[in-house]
Amino acid sequence: METAKGKTREETITRLAERIDRFEKYSPPHARVMAELAARLARRLGLGQSDINSIAEAAFLHDIGLYSMSPAYHSSPGPLSFDERIDLWRHSIIGEQQMSKRDATRHAQLLVRWHHEWWNGSGYPDMLAFEDIPIGARILRAVELYSALTSDRPYRAALDEDQALDTLAASAGVECDPYVVKALLALLDDLRATAREAATREAAAREAEIREAEIRESAASDVAPPLNQEIEQPTEGAEQDTLAADHSSAATSTAPDSEQRLDNQSSSGGHPQSAEAEPLSAEAPEIHSDTPPADQAQEPAIEAARQPATDRAAPPDAQGQAPLPSIKTLGSVEMLISRVKAKDLEAEDTGGWLEWAGSKYNERSLFGFEASVLRQIEFRSIAIPLCGRARLDWYLKIWGKLVMSNDPRAWAAASARAMVEARDLIDEEQISRLLEDIYVPGVRLANPHLRQWFGEMDSWWMDNLRRNVERLEDETMRAQALVLGMQTGDYALSFTDMTRDLRRPLTTIFWRLAGRALAGPKGHPHNRSYNQPADEFIKRARADLLYLTLPPAHSEMAGDEARSHWREAWVRGTDGQTIDELLRLMTAPQSKRAYLAKADRLLDAASHIKTWAIGYQEVGLVSARDISELIKEHRPVQATYSKDLTEVAGGLRSYIIVAEKDRGR
């Protein structure tokens, strides 16, 4: 494909990627190497060629939004301020827009938007979690983390290979999908092994060439000189010097390229993920792919929980030989990729890793989309009847709005309280109390429901933590502790038998999560959270704006929402009706008529609120047009905003319909 200037699309992308690398203070070919690793990893996970192409293009241009913004704080060696972190969130959204302008596939556009999403939901811009994040974005997250860890940054030097691999492994279950991390570690091991074999073959070939040359030279010297020519006999010392010189020459000639040290460490820019998403690593240095050290004082115990782990040992090969040479010995990852031809890994790169969790239809809340729409509405106070994980609530608190948040589910109501009401962070003394006797089993579990999801030891850990949470006197501190507990439980449930070796102790993870938490600004003093049925909350709410996300019109739950069952059971504690009540709350209507009737009751309860912003995801049972027509029965529709995610697996089309109260009514 030719561009207007006669260059192919591939050449244009490569040139732009090199400019982005230089802007971020990476030395090219950083983007090319990241694209190559991402493509190889995608191939191992069994993805088709068109998906691999989109992933590679997104990898080449993943930071095009940051390049477009060119913020002054980007190359700062120090930590970013809170406002700079929030501003940085925009770069992935701007990147999506820039990819659209360059006619990238819709898939590649969305991957650029989501390449900073974290497995546990604390990334940006949409705070997606678990398999809600498309597999391509999960691949980019892991590959970018590893690529940056092995490069110099303005705020720290590149990590050595063992540190980088350990930090990558420690990111599993928090920042990265454990299965993707496992596959990437295996790919890097195979790259080293294949590079070693290639180096051995090259050395053997050179040795054979040298022997051939020696044989030819020897044969030539055996030819008898003319009878009239005197044969010169070397002296004993000269003979020794000649042999020594020959040996030295042969040793130099046969040294494999893999033994030549290649100092090709790049340098790059980049900064914190978000206020919720500071860099982390349990047993490895506190370093992230594009995040400088967090601008917060860590308590001593929190720091102690982050001591570097022992170096990750390279396993012996199948024949029990010595461990594989490190990337230091074989050269940088750039050199590894250049040495390893595609055919060398063809067998390993053809879908051998197929057990990753795919995206399904789910309630995929888009924080970035919601925030951008609400920014265009004038209001001072807002009521949110169904807050979920309260990500939007936290942003509105930062924005200085009066927030009244609610959710019928106990776990979501606790999240809202921690997000909008807390004015101070939970401290080290309180964390120590929470973890007191955490591994000591009692006579029986206070909450036997936990055995449905956790093994015996984890069940006792979670049960003891829930008991200790009740000992905290302050309500907002209890809410923060519950959120940390839910995040730790989600972490424990992120691992399978195949990835269990990557898992860290839950106590270590709890400390890490607590040490990374940021409350942000104090927020409005009258912010409140509630745990009431949605219609009752709406009737009592007095706010300028109602933001109502209608429940999905389907019964299947996946991704973040699929974790609702265990969270509800754990937060409610010994309530024997936990599961039955949760199922009742979450059961979706099974007909179009029943769904519209339920939505109509909620809208009727909100007749006293001036402005509505109604969020809906279209899955087939009820269309966005049906919802719009229903709203018009109550008041005029002012605007409709939409976000199309149907180009990715599990993706839906999201709408926010804004309606104003008719002054004549």
Side-chain angles (χ1 to χ4, degrees), residues 535 537-544 603-612 635 661:
D535 54 348
F537 169 78
I538 292 173
K539 289 177 183 177
R540 298 174 183 175
R542 296 294 178 267
D544 301 328
L603 296 178
D604 190 57
S607 59
H608 61 288
I609 299 179
K610 177 186 174 184
T611 306
W612 296 348
R635 58 179 59 183
K661 186 175 183 180

Side-chain angles (χ1 to χ4, degrees), residues 153-287:
R153 310 304 292 124
Y155 44 86
R156 54 104 177 129
L159 275 66
D160 66 32
E161 183 201 1
D162 288 334
Q163 288 177 311
L165 292 175
D166 193 72
T167 302
L168 175 62
S171 74
V174 180
E175 179 175 355
C176 299
D177 177 352
Y179 191 82
V180 171
V181 170
K182 186 82 173 181
L184 178 55
L185 289 171
L187 171 60
L188 293 169
D189 279 345
D190 288 345
L191 279 171
R192 287 189 298 154
T194 308
R196 181 184 68 175
E197 292 169 4
T200 302
R201 288 196 302 267
E202 291 169 9
R206 279 194 295 272
E207 276 191 37
E209 289 176 4
I210 291 171
R211 288 197 195 99
E212 258 185 59
E214 289 175 345
I215 291 171
R216 286 195 299 268
E217 290 174 6
S218 177
S221 64
D222 287 342
V223 177
L227 293 176
N228 61 350
Q229 180 177 336
E230 182 180 352
I231 299 175
E232 181 179 351
Q233 298 292 335
T235 64
E236 182 179 351
E239 181 179 17
Q240 291 175 347
D241 290 342
T242 302
L243 291 173
D246 288 344
H247 177 75
S248 174
S249 175
T252 303
S253 303
T254 58
D257 290 344
S258 60
E259 298 299 324
Q260 305 303 314
R261 185 69 181 272
L262 177 63
D263 186 10
N264 189 28
Q265 293 180 335
S266 315
S267 64
S268 82
H271 290 286
Q273 290 275 10
S274 71
E276 281 193 340
E278 290 300 311
L280 61 98
S281 173
E283 291 81 18
E286 194 70 11
I287 295 171

Side-chain angles (χ1 to χ4, degrees), residues 132 359-365 550-562 565 583-592 594-596 598 616-623 650-654:
D132 290 353
S359 299
K360 301 176 181 178
Y361 284 114
N362 52 68
E363 188 178 8
R364 182 177 277 161
S365 178
L550 294 175
H554 57 88
S555 57
E556 182 182 14
M557 290 191 298
D560 192 26
E561 282 297 312
H565 287 69
L583 290 174
R584 181 183 63 80
L585 288 170
M586 298 305 299
T587 299
Q590 297 301 296
S591 70
K592 178 177 179 178
Y595 186 90
L596 291 174
K598 184 175 182 178
Y616 179 69
Q617 289 183 320
E618 192 173 63
V619 295
L621 179 63
V622 178
S623 69
L652 306 172
R653 189 183 292 273
S654 297

